[in-house]
């Protein structure tokens, strides 16, 4: 078993937890399992209709470090207004809606998450190679949400969760004072309960993908464990030094 370390950052992110297209399209406050697996499948060229192709991702385990939770933003969104009926949005029955489709789409602005992905070596190597040269480009929940660089920080980590705890530079958070010594409290989300924390609470999310088919999306539930870990202050980067520290961390693997 080995793993990847990914950094999910960008102007906007949106991690929908609902499989249905509703007028109010919310976002989870962290990257969902469904979205991450969808990113990997797209990079490897697995289509939405290939349900069996998702089987290779079942053994993956995700750990999320919340560097910066971001600010929730809601966009009033319209599609197909002011057009003849034949040019408006299509319906599932093969017709057209005849009017503008109005939705309110939720985003996380200026959020940063670092994700440890652990799994079988063959699966991890395939994902890493695909993210370097993706069949379809990765995005942060929606196609309009382009990731910052670097996206991949580590491709052969023996213990990727430990990298989050001890080595990956911590992005600054305007709501969190820049410490000068001691430790920094940071929220983590785990798929299995960790040891030695200040307290653990659990939550249930509906984000395990069974199918990405456009008219047959379905998901199962999973349980997550939320903790706060006090990370070494040496991991905390200033806005001016963050990018250089991330590049230095990512290139250590190449040099090794």
């Amino acid at each position: 078993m080995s793993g990847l370390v990914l950094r999910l950052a960008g102007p906007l992110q949106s991690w929908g937890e609902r499989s249905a297209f509703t007028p109010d399209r919310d976002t989870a406050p962290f990257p969902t399992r469904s979205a991450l697996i969808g990113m990997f499948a797209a990079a490897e060229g697995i289509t939405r209709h290939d349900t069996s192709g998702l089987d290779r991702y079942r053994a993956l385990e995700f750990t999320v470090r919340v560097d910066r939770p971001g600010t929730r933003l809601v966009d009033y969104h319209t599609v197909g207004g002011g057009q003849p009926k034949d040019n408006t949005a299509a319906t599932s029955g093969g017709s057209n809606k005849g009017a503008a489709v109005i939705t309110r789409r939720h985003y996380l602005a200026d959020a940063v998450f670092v994700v440890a992905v652990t799994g079988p070596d063959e699966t991890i190597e395939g994902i890493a190679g695909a993210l370097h040269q993706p069949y379809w480009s990765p995005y942060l929940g929606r196609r309009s949400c382009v990731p910052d660089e670097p996206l991949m920080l580590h491709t052969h980590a023996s213990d990727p969760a430990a990298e989050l705890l001890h080595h990956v530079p911590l992005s600054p958070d305007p709501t969190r004072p820049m410490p000068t010594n001691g430790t920094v409290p940071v929220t983590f989300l785990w798929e299995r309960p960790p040891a030695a924390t200040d307290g653990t609470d659990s939550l249930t999310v509906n984000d395990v993908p069974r199918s990405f088919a456009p008219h047959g999306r379905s998901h199962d539930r999973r349980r997550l464990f939320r903790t706060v870990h006090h990370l070494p202050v040496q991991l905390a980067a200033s806005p001016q030094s963050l990018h250089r520290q991330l590049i230095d961390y990512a290139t250590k693997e190449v040099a090794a």
Side-chain angles (χ1 to χ4, degrees):
M1 300 284 280
S2 61
L4 308 171
V5 178
L6 306 176
R7 183 174 183 269
L8 307 180
L12 294 175
Q13 307 184 32
S14 188
W15 308 105
E17 191 188 339
R18 304 171 185 172
S19 60
F21 288 102
T22 61
D24 193 64
R25 301 183 187 178
D26 206 349
T27 177
F30 50 81
T32 60
R33 184 179 178 93
S34 177
L36 292 169
I37 288 177
M39 178 191 297
F40 302 158
E44 295 196 86
I46 298 174
T47 68
R48 290 181 179 273
H49 296 280
D50 187 359
T51 302
S52 62
L54 300 180
D55 292 342
R56 66 193 307 267
Y57 303 116
R58 294 188 187 279
L60 297 180
E61 180 178 331
F62 297 95
T63 303
V64 177
R65 190 181 82 182
V66 183
D67 281 25
R68 193 160 63 225
T71 303
R72 189 172 292 269
L73 178 151
V74 181
D75 177 36
Y76 178 82
H77 192 94
T78 64
V79 176
Q83 299 290 330
K85 181 177 180 179
D86 290 348
N87 293 336
T88 60
T91 67
S92 59
S95 181
N96 296 83
K97 293 186 178 293
V101 177
I102 298 174
T103 59
R104 288 174 173 80
R105 305 189 180 192
H106 296 239
Y107 298 88
L108 302 176
D110 201 29
V112 180
F113 306 96
V114 182
V115 182
V117 187
T118 306
D121 291 345
E122 182 178 356
T123 303
I124 292 296
E125 290 174 6
I127 294 170
L131 288 176
H132 275 303
Q133 293 184 307
Y135 189 93
W136 286 298
S137 297
Y139 49 84
L140 305 179
R142 291 202 179 110
R143 290 187 182 88
S144 60
C145 301
V146 180
D148 284 349
E149 292 184 339
L151 173 64
M152 277 201 299
L153 297 179
H154 207 311
T155 59
H156 295 91
S158 58
D159 187 347
E163 295 293 315
L164 270 57
L165 288 165
H166 303 294
H167 301 294
V168 180
L170 180 64
S171 298
D173 181 354
T175 66
R176 181 177 58 213
M178 176 63 71
T180 56
N181 54 56
T183 59
V184 184
V186 180
T187 299
F188 280 71
L189 294 150
W190 310 77
E191 292 191 314
R192 65 177 66 186
T197 67
D198 282 352
T200 302
D201 67 295
S202 64
L203 57 155
T204 301
V205 291
N206 190 52
D207 70 347
V208 180
R210 296 176 59 189
S211 172
F212 286 128
H215 300 297
R217 296 187 184 190
S218 61
H219 298 80
D220 290 328
R221 293 185 178 184
R222 66 171 173 147
R223 194 178 184 190
L224 286 177
F225 301 89
R226 183 165 44 204
T227 63
V228 174
H229 287 259
H230 292 267
L231 304 189
V233 69
Q234 291 79 9
L235 293 184
S238 68
Q240 294 77 20
S241 66
L242 174 63
H243 192 259
R244 172 47 53 195
Q245 290 187 39
L246 290 170
I247 296 299
D248 288 347
Y249 172 83
T251 53
K252 280 182 182 179
E253 177 187 14
V254 177

